Amino acid sequence: MTRSPIFETFRYLAIVAAVAVTLVPILWMASMAFKPIAEWSASGADLTWWPKIPTLDNFRFIFGTSTSDLIVALDKTAAKPILSSLLSAVFGTLIAMIAGTSAAYGLSRFGSGNNLPLALIQLRLFPPMAVMIPVMIMWAFLGLVDTWWGLALIYGIVTLPFAFWLMKTFFDDMPREIEDAARVEGCSRFRVFTQITLPMMRAPLASSALFVFILNWSDYLIGLLLTTREWVTIPVYMASLSSSMTGQLYGAKAALGLIAAVPPVIMGIAIQKHLVRGLTFGALKQ
């Protein structure tokens, strides 16, 4: 069935419009990050899309190297929040992926007639505040409050259901005949898993890890409740960027937002050859 040129034209126009709407906030943030304070603190007709006098003052400000006296000096630069977000998100993703992949493979290959899959997803069904109150008490008792490893541990626990369900779907779609052939040749179950199954699952592992990393990287609530000063994350630190003279420091927030977008973008580019295959793994299975 051939589609008319008019239909194709409207389809491409709809795609362009959707992309434009999606890119507007990103372009506005990028523009705001390079505006001097006189431009991003303006209002009404004085606001412009592009900076008239591009500057790096917003980036210098959040790292404590700005010489501008229009904004009060920060009592904490963005360096440690960036390190805190990197450490907690990376190790939280590792915890979730290792535990989730192992559990998913076990249930996929050795039976799924129990209630464990539903029990895992129930971790995400409770209201976040109802879960975080006992977590705060336990973390305070264990001395894990305001530490990056405490954040990494809770990130790994919270995102474990996502890693588990994503990987279980991929394992269920993977033919078992290859593993059975290796078992007949004398390979142990552990060797089959590490040397045959996991290498074949590179694409699903990459796409699942990226999804889990983005969840951990962008978290605000857990970071707000479990950090106080030393190991605050980027979202928590960004919310504190304000001044009694200028109000919200939109330029500094935009600059930090651009920096915060870099790790997920780099990770996406690094695994792009696996990403599409991982997201469509098993889609054409008959």
Side-chain angles (χ1 to χ4, degrees):
M1 179 180 178
T2 58
R3 296 174 178 174
S4 64
I6 297 178
F7 176 82
E8 291 294 327
T9 301
F10 276 107
R11 187 166 73 95
Y12 284 115
L13 287 176
I15 294 174
V16 171
V19 172
V21 171
T22 305
L23 290 179
V24 164
I26 300 175
L27 293 176
W28 181 254
M29 180 181 68
S31 172
M32 186 74 70
F34 295 96
K35 289 180 179 179
I37 182 174
E39 294 186 33
W40 56 255
S41 62
S43 59
D46 295 331
L47 289 175
T48 57
W49 264 101
W50 306 110
K52 299 176 182 177
I53 308 175
T55 180
L56 295 175
D57 278 347
N58 294 314
F59 295 91
R60 297 190 187 101
F61 171 71
I62 60 176
F63 288 106
T65 59
S66 176
T67 57
S68 174
D69 37 356
L70 295 177
I71 311 176
V72 294
L74 289 172
D75 59 347
K76 183 181 183 65
T77 67
K80 198 164 185 179
I82 293 173
L83 177 63
S84 174
S85 289
L86 279 172
L87 291 174
S88 58
V90 169
F91 283 94
T93 301
L94 288 176
I95 293 172
M97 290 304 300
I98 292 174
T101 300
S102 303
Y105 180 78
L107 285 178
S108 177
R109 292 297 183 262
F110 305 112
S112 57
N114 50 45
N115 296 322
L116 182 58
L118 293 178
L120 283 174
I121 202 64
Q122 285 178 357
L123 291 173
R124 302 295 303 184
L125 298 181
F126 291 102
M129 286 304 301
V131 177
M132 287 308 301
I133 291 174
V135 168
M136 290 174 62
I137 297 174
M138 288 188 294
W139 257 234
F141 177 77
L142 296 173
L144 297 176
V145 175
D146 205 17
T147 61
W148 69 263
W149 53 89
L151 279 178
L153 181 58
I154 191 62
Y155 283 163
I157 296 173
V158 169
T159 54
L160 173 60
F162 292 107
F164 168 80
W165 277 97
L166 286 170
M167 293 308 301
K168 185 177 184 301
T169 302
F170 294 135
F171 283 128
D172 289 341
D173 289 336
M174 180 181 174
R176 303 189 183 188
E177 289 77 8
I178 301 175
E179 296 179 353
D180 293 338
R183 292 281 291 164
V184 170
E185 293 295 328
C187 288
S188 64
R189 177 65 69 178
F190 180 76
R191 187 177 178 186
V192 169
F193 176 65
T194 56
Q195 297 187 13
I196 296 177
T197 305
L198 286 183
M200 294 179 62
M201 300 292 288
R202 284 194 298 266
L205 282 169
S207 58
S208 300
L210 177 61
F211 178 71
V212 171
F213 176 80
I214 291 175
L215 289 177
N216 292 332
W217 180 257
S218 59
D219 168 74
Y220 175 74
L221 178 61
I222 296 176
L224 177 66
L225 296 177
L226 294 184
T227 58
T228 55
R229 180 177 176 81
E230 290 299 321
W231 290 99
V232 297
T233 56
I234 290 177
V236 178
Y237 177 78
M238 188 181 297
S240 68
L241 289 176
S242 61
S243 168
S244 58
M245 294 185 294
T246 59
Q248 297 295 323
L249 303 178
Y250 295 112
K253 290 185 176 184
L256 185 56
L258 280 183
I259 295 174
V262 171
V265 170
I266 292 177
M267 188 174 177
I269 293 174
I271 66 173
Q272 62 178 339
K273 65 178 181 179
H274 302 297
L275 193 56
V276 175
R277 183 170 179 268
L279 294 175
T280 58
F281 190 86
L284 301 178
K285 184 179 178 181
Q286 298 295 328

